[in-house]
Amino acid sequence: MAQVTATAQRTIEAPAEAVSTALGDYEKVRPTILTEHYSDYRTEPDGRVHWTLAATSKRVRDQLVTVERPDAATIVERDANSSMVSTWTVTSEGTHRST
């Protein structure tokens, strides 16, 4: 199977540390910023996070995600039900980090 890579970038008017902390708050912040493509969101007792992602009306994926924080600026989400990996990298404006 071919590997699919997608990249998105957004500028947020807040300190990078605050943005990274907010993205990593799966209990309170993350559920409030998800789009309508996400449903069934919950945190599991073992620390994983569950949600259903509707990428399209016909492509719906049940995800059970393990979260890793390799450093303060990076969040890696690995889905136990597929090979999907999402990496969030937060940098200050004017800096760039390649992944």
Side-chain angles (χ1 to χ4, degrees), residues 15-87:
E17 183 179 315
V19 173
S20 184
T21 298
L23 282 173
D25 183 345
Y26 289 86
E27 289 285 332
K28 295 180 183 161
V29 177
R30 187 63 78 91
T32 67
I33 63 174
L34 295 175
T35 67
E36 67 278 359
H37 298 95
Y38 293 82
S39 62
D40 256 350
Y41 183 94
R42 67 181 180 271
T43 54
E44 300 290 340
D46 64 4
R48 295 185 293 177
V49 186
H50 173 271
W51 58 69
T52 301
L53 172 62
T56 69
S57 62
K58 294 181 181 179
R59 188 156 173 88
V60 178
R61 179 175 305 223
D62 184 65
Q63 296 189 287
L64 184 58
V65 176
T66 300
V67 178
E68 302 167 19
R69 295 288 309 236
D71 58 58
T74 307
I75 300 169
V76 180
E77 300 172 343
R78 296 183 191 279
D79 179 23
N81 299 328
S82 72
S83 60
M84 185 170 173
V85 177
S86 299
T87 303

